Amino acid sequence: MIQRFGKYNRISQPGLNFKLPTGIERVTKVKIKRVYKEEFGFKTTPAGGSRFATDSEDIGAALMLTGDLNVAVVPWIVQYRISDPYKYLFKVKNVNSILRDMAEATMRTVVGDRSINEVISKREEIAIAARERLQEEMRQAETGIHIVTIEMKKTNVPEPVQPSFNEVNEAVQEKEQLIYKAKEEFNKAIPQARGEARRVIKDAEGYALDRVNRAMGDGARFTSVYKEYVKAKDITEKRLYLEAMAEILPKIGGKYVVDSDQSNLLPLLNMGQGSSVISGPGKEGDKK
């Protein structure tokens, strides 16, 4: 970036360039390919590790109120590049200051729309939403900054409330476990009951169909017998009688035929043996 008498004049690309002597033109080099970063809620140590910031540094930036009115410690990193050197140098007086303020405001807005469990378990989703929102804020402010990425560090609750928070999580997990078991029992009992109900219905339908078919068959048989009875009453009566006796007599054990006209002491016919003996007024022992 070249300024002439303090006013912006032109942009020169890397390579061989010329300018007027010092006092007339001044050169400011802007590293547009370098990725810068800002840390919130913690500080990176020179050895490459990281630690949470102290109260005198930046711990307040990490304390946020979630949508379900819980306090969470949310450390994060903003990585950015300078996309427009002119806006970066001349549109905003202190770009780093406005970047930190807007990044903190954006993160608080995004976190405030979610529960504590979402803040802890959905860090990637929160980071993406915060990056898009922060990029829009930087564009409207004409800072000349492009947000490369926002990286969420491990999110937790403040140490004083950590034991209580763990107890709440255990209770929630126990509740979910009980709900899961109840659903498992539900999934076992309901299909079984439905299957039993369908079986009973099918049995009832089969029984009803059988009864109807039997009734229709009995009705058709009765109708046919009645037609024959109308044609020949005596023959039909005798046939029905014989058929009934043929069905009943085999079920009876011993069978005796008694002649009411006989005057003997034992006027009977023994039909249970191979030969029949008739006792009567004739010769004793006559075989027939």
Side-chain angles (χ1 to χ4, degrees):
M1 300 293 295
I2 299 176
Q3 296 171 258
R4 180 175 296 172
F5 298 112
K7 183 179 179 180
Y8 166 75
N9 182 263
R10 65 186 182 276
I11 295 178
S12 296
Q13 301 299 327
L16 183 61
N17 294 283
F18 298 93
K19 76 174 186 67
L20 297 177
T22 304
I24 300 177
E25 290 185 343
R26 186 179 66 177
V27 175
T28 302
K29 296 181 179 180
V30 181
K31 299 177 181 180
I32 60 175
K33 293 184 178 181
R34 178 178 176 181
V35 177
Y36 300 87
K37 72 174 182 179
E38 291 289 336
E39 298 173 341
F40 299 83
F42 72 101
K43 295 293 183 181
T44 302
T45 60
S50 63
R51 61 180 177 84
F52 281 101
T54 62
D55 292 338
S56 61
E57 293 172 338
D58 199 23
I59 187 62
L63 290 175
M64 299 185 185
L65 187 66
T66 62
D68 54 357
L69 303 181
N70 284 296
V71 178
V73 179
V74 187
W76 79 97
I77 295 175
V78 175
Q79 294 181 333
Y80 65 95
R81 289 187 299 102
I82 300 173
S83 59
D84 191 330
Y86 173 76
K87 292 181 179 180
Y88 180 79
L89 291 177
F90 302 112
K91 287 291 185 178
V92 180
K93 183 177 181 180
N94 191 337
V95 177
N96 288 345
S97 177
I98 192 172
L99 172 63
R100 291 191 67 85
D101 292 341
M102 294 305 299
E104 184 175 343
T106 299
M107 186 59 69
R108 291 186 184 279
T109 301
V110 175
V111 170
D113 292 336
R114 289 164 173 79
S115 65
I116 183 66
N117 291 329
E118 291 177 321
V119 173
I120 293 176
S121 61
K122 298 182 179 180
R123 292 181 294 173
E124 183 177 355
E125 177 183 326
I126 294 175
I128 294 174
R131 187 192 69 80
E132 295 176 352
R133 190 181 186 94
L134 180 59
Q135 181 61 67
E136 180 62 21
E137 297 291 343
M138 293 294 100
R139 185 191 66 79
Q140 293 182 3
E142 296 184 339
T143 58
I145 286 178
H146 171 70
I147 305 300
V148 177
T149 184
I150 291 181
E151 179 183 354
M152 300 283 294
K153 295 296 183 180
K154 184 178 179 180
T155 305
N156 212 327
V157 296
E159 292 184 2
V161 299
Q162 185 68 43
S164 300
F165 182 75
N166 292 337
E167 291 179 2
V168 172
N169 285 337
E170 291 176 0
V172 171
Q173 292 175 1
E174 184 178 357
K175 173 186 174 183
E176 292 177 351
Q177 185 177 5
L178 292 175
I179 293 174
Y180 175 79
K181 289 183 178 180
K183 289 182 178 179
E184 184 178 2
E185 293 297 328
F186 176 86
N187 293 332
K188 288 181 180 179
I190 296 302
Q192 183 177 359
R194 289 174 178 170
E196 183 66 19
R198 284 194 292 268
R199 186 189 65 80
V200 172
I201 292 173
K202 292 297 182 182
D203 290 345
E205 291 175 350
Y207 178 75
L209 183 61
D210 179 69
R211 294 293 295 177
V212 170
N213 290 337
R214 285 188 181 184
M216 292 177 66
D218 292 343
R221 185 173 68 252
F222 178 81
T223 302
S224 64
V225 172
Y226 178 75
K227 290 179 180 179
E228 296 298 326
Y229 177 78
V230 172
K231 294 178 181 179
K233 295 183 179 181
D234 295 337
I235 297 175
T236 304
E237 288 180 356
K238 184 175 293 186
R239 182 172 65 85
L240 292 175
Y241 173 77
L242 293 176
E243 290 177 353
M245 296 303 295
E247 182 180 356
I248 294 173
L249 289 178
K251 301 178 182 178
I252 301 175
K255 295 174 283 297
Y256 299 93
V257 177
V258 179
D259 187 357
S260 60
D261 296 333
Q262 293 294 332
S263 59
N264 199 346
L265 182 62
L266 296 173
L268 58 87
L269 173 64
N270 188 0
M271 300 181 66
Q273 303 297 329
S275 60
S276 300
V277 177
I278 299 177
S279 297
K283 297 181 180 179
E284 291 187 2
D286 288 345
K287 295 182 180 179
K288 293 185 180 178

